[in-house]
Amino acid sequence: MAPYRHLEEYNIEITDEVKSFYGRILNEIGEDTEREGLVKTPERAAKALLFLTQGYRQDAVNILKGAMFKESYSEMVIIKDIELYSLCEHHMLPFFGKAHVAYIPDGHIVGLSKIPRVVDVFARRLQVQERLTDDILECINQTLKPKGVAVVIEASHMCMMMRGVQKQNSVTTTSGFRGQFEKIETRNEFLKLISSDLS
């Protein structure tokens, strides 16, 4: 056996139920679910949807609390360019992009990998970008209780690109600021740092 294996586990009963719905959808749009290319599509689609909505079964607060450490560091901590993938709740089409998150500690820091995990928890739900921004912001603010939190999300929405207005190059930016980041100088420092290449 390999020293490490990453396994995906699915509730069989729920997967089978969602699978049956996908089979019905394919039939309703005029497809033949018995043809070779589609025989396993309902099951694959069911597993994909359950994967993409796993955030409903995860607790972002517990993720943060599981890696909080007392520390006197009190300067800005930024995790930028966090990839995110979500589903628009209006059309269930993907939107994807990057999140930039910063906080100013007030006696506690958090393991750096936990911030992207919090982003994923809220992104893996049916969302609108505005609420996603606020969900991440408020979770960090209420759990870590820092001196300030900032979140900026830049994303492209397939519901705008594939249908409707069909604008291929539009990007939506949302932001939220609490505490010290409500001060213009702190906010500007954060915005300057996430837009610059420091490498």
Side-chain angles (χ1 to χ4, degrees):
M1 178 183 291
Y4 171 80
R5 288 193 304 162
H6 178 73
L7 300 175
E8 289 183 4
E9 293 184 300
Y10 294 89
N11 180 304
I12 295 172
E13 185 177 332
I14 294 173
T15 303
D16 284 346
E17 191 168 358
V18 177
K19 171 185 169 181
S20 71
F21 294 147
Y22 273 113
R24 287 168 55 193
I25 290 169
L26 288 171
N27 283 322
E28 288 297 326
I29 64 172
E31 266 294 357
D32 174 12
T33 54
E34 298 303 313
R35 71 178 177 87
E36 184 180 10
L38 288 179
V39 169
K40 293 186 177 180
T41 295
E43 181 179 355
R44 286 191 293 255
K47 288 181 175 179
L49 183 63
L50 293 175
F51 177 84
L52 294 172
T53 58
Q54 63 184 284
Y56 290 116
R57 298 168 295 280
Q58 296 173 334
D59 189 329
V61 171
N62 284 340
I63 287 171
L64 288 178
K65 285 184 175 179
M68 286 175 58
F69 308 101
K70 290 183 179 179
E71 188 61 56
S72 61
Y73 186 82
S74 60
E75 299 298 324
M76 194 182 303
V77 178
I78 301 174
I79 303 94
K80 70 177 191 175
D81 296 332
I82 302 167
E83 295 177 17
L84 69 86
Y85 303 91
S86 192
L87 291 175
C88 161
E89 69 179 32
H90 299 143
H91 303 96
M92 290 183 65
L93 288 172
F95 68 92
F96 55 92
K98 293 180 179 179
H100 313 287
V101 180
Y103 73 97
I104 300 173
D106 188 14
H108 288 88
I109 61 170
V110 67
L112 293 177
S113 68
K114 304 308 175 188
I115 300 294
R117 286 194 64 195
V118 167
V119 171
D120 281 348
V121 167
F122 292 115
R124 297 301 192 189
R125 301 176 182 185
L126 300 184
Q127 278 287 11
V128 293
Q129 186 174 328
E130 296 88 341
R131 187 174 65 241
L132 176 58
T133 305
D134 197 53
D135 284 345
I136 297 165
L137 182 77
E138 290 303 327
C139 179
I140 296 169
N141 194 45
Q142 296 298 322
T143 308
L144 199 55
K145 301 191 185 310
K147 294 178 182 176
V149 186
V151 177
V152 170
I153 294 177
E154 304 168 285
S156 298
H157 293 249
M158 298 305 286
C159 58
M160 288 179 64
M161 298 167 71
M162 293 177 66
R163 60 170 304 283
V165 295
Q166 299 181 56
K167 299 302 179 187
Q168 304 303 309
N169 300 307
S170 62
V171 174
T172 301
T173 302
T174 49
S175 63
F177 305 96
R178 294 289 184 277
Q180 293 292 322
F181 287 98
E182 294 176 271
K183 296 180 179 178
I184 192 67
E185 62 271 18
T186 310
R187 184 183 306 190
N188 284 344
E189 180 185 354
F190 165 67
L191 294 174
K192 181 179 178 182
L193 287 169
I194 66 172
S195 63
S196 63
D197 185 359
L198 301 177
S199 57

